[in-house]
Amino acid sequence: AQTVTQSQPEMSVQEAETVTLSCTYDTSESDYYLFWYKQPPSRQMILVIRQEAYKQQNATENRFSVNFQKAAKSFSLKISDSQLGDAAMYFCAYRGNAGGTSYGKLTFGQGTILTVHP
Amino acid sequence: DTGVSQNPRHKITKRGQNVTFRCDPISEHNRLYWYRQTLGQGPEFLTYFQNEAQLEKSRLLSDRFSAERPKGSFSTLEIQRTEQGDSAMYLCASSFRRGSSYNEQFFGPGTRLTVL
């Protein structure tokens, strides 16, 4: 079974600074997607960024970028120029892409609460 | 279309009662997922449908839980004989699958269940 681990229960950052959230995963599949989701307090979860495992280039979406290390099974999220609106719970998630037992469903980590200080 | 909707948003019930939640996915999304999220944890997969067919169920889905998607549109999740351990946020997500292309899951706001 696939597992996703986020070892940082809480992180904090000053506004305009950079913060990195960590995620490791375990899988025997070779084709999969990795995601970072943001869940603001009392609001629904939204997708921040995704990475296809077959792509060596790290994904980037505006101020959000990832460091994908496939051999190490590591997938960290870097938030640059942090803003107050970035404060939320962040989840790392895994999804298989080629059949098998994980196809379709997301497997989430435990989450990291990010606090942004003005 | 304004996204995935879930009703009710909050439900308080007494132990032993039955509850039913509804999820309305984004129009034309053929896949629908249910997840459960306990406080301070990540969501855990419960089950998913492609159209009206239930394709996978987690071992978390005990025989007290049943989910349906009768016409391939909205879905219901019923919990019978609720227990205090069922208290959680129940999330619904939908996506559109066509061939092997990537399909993002869009999440609803969730139904928060409290079992007294």
Side-chain angles (χ1 to χ4, degrees):
Chain A
Q2 293 73 29
T3 60
V4 178
T5 302
Q6 294 178 248
S7 59
Q8 304 157 317
E10 298 182 27
M11 291 285 285
S12 64
V13 63
Q14 291 293 132
E15 198 174 5
E17 296 294 307
T18 296
V19 64
T20 299
L21 308 184
S22 301
C23 172
T24 58
Y25 61 95
D26 190 26
T27 183
S28 58
E29 298 175 320
S30 58
D31 189 14
Y32 50 87
Y33 288 102
L34 294 166
F35 307 87
W36 280 97
Y37 279 88
K38 171 184 177 182
Q39 188 176 42
S42 301
R43 296 182 62 185
Q44 60 207 80
M45 191 149 6
I46 58 173
L47 179 65
V48 174
I49 196 166
R50 78 170 191 268
Q51 174 79 43
E52 291 92 332
Y54 66 87
K55 290 187 177 179
Q56 293 185 341
Q57 186 173 8
N58 289 324
T60 299
E61 289 287 343
N62 300 313
R63 299 182 294 107
F64 299 87
S65 61
V66 299
N67 183 4
F68 174 48
Q69 301 290 327
K70 190 173 184 179
K73 296 180 180 175
S74 169
F75 182 61
S76 61
L77 174 70
K78 185 172 80 172
I79 306 174
S80 304
D81 186 26
S82 297
Q83 300 175 0
L84 295 178
D86 294 333
M89 176 80 95
Y90 285 81
F91 292 101
C92 178
Y94 170 101
R95 200 205 85 184
N97 195 41
T101 60
S102 69
Y103 188 49
K105 68 184 181 187
L106 293 168
T107 300
F108 288 87
Q110 305 91 326
T112 297
I113 298 173
L114 177 66
T115 302
V116 181
H117 298 288
Chain B
D1 188 281
T2 57
V4 179
S5 62
Q6 293 187 245
N7 288 289
R9 294 291 307 277
H10 303 272
K11 179 70 176 178
I12 299 174
T13 190
K14 293 183 179 179
R15 188 176 54 186
Q17 297 294 306
N18 299 343
V19 295
T20 300
F21 311 140
R22 176 177 171 129
C23 170
D24 287 88
I26 294 172
S27 298
E28 300 181 354
H29 275 194
N30 53 5
R31 280 202 165 185
L32 187 147
Y33 304 80
W34 285 99
Y35 295 87
R36 181 171 69 187
Q37 184 179 18
T38 53
L39 200 61
Q41 298 297 314
E44 295 174 293
F45 169 78
L46 292 178
T47 188
Y48 81 85
F49 295 82
Q50 181 155 317
N51 300 313
E52 66 276 7
Q54 190 173 18
L55 296 185
E56 187 175 352
K57 293 194 295 185
S58 164
R59 283 174 288 180
L60 292 174
L61 214 64
S62 75
D63 56 5
R64 296 185 297 106
F65 289 71
S66 62
E68 294 182 342
R69 194 182 183 198
K71 296 183 179 179
S73 56
F74 72 92
S75 175
T76 58
L77 178 67
E78 181 184 15
I79 308 174
Q80 296 182 327
R81 305 181 302 282
T82 53
E83 302 173 355
Q84 288 185 326
D86 297 331
S87 296
M89 176 77 85
Y90 290 84
L91 298 172
C92 177
S94 70
S95 68
F96 181 71
R97 170 171 163 73
R98 176 167 47 201
S100 61
S101 62
Y102 166 75
N103 48 96
E104 178 182 345
Q105 290 184 29
F106 293 84
F107 282 82
T111 294
R112 181 167 294 285
L113 173 65
T114 301
V115 181
L116 302 177

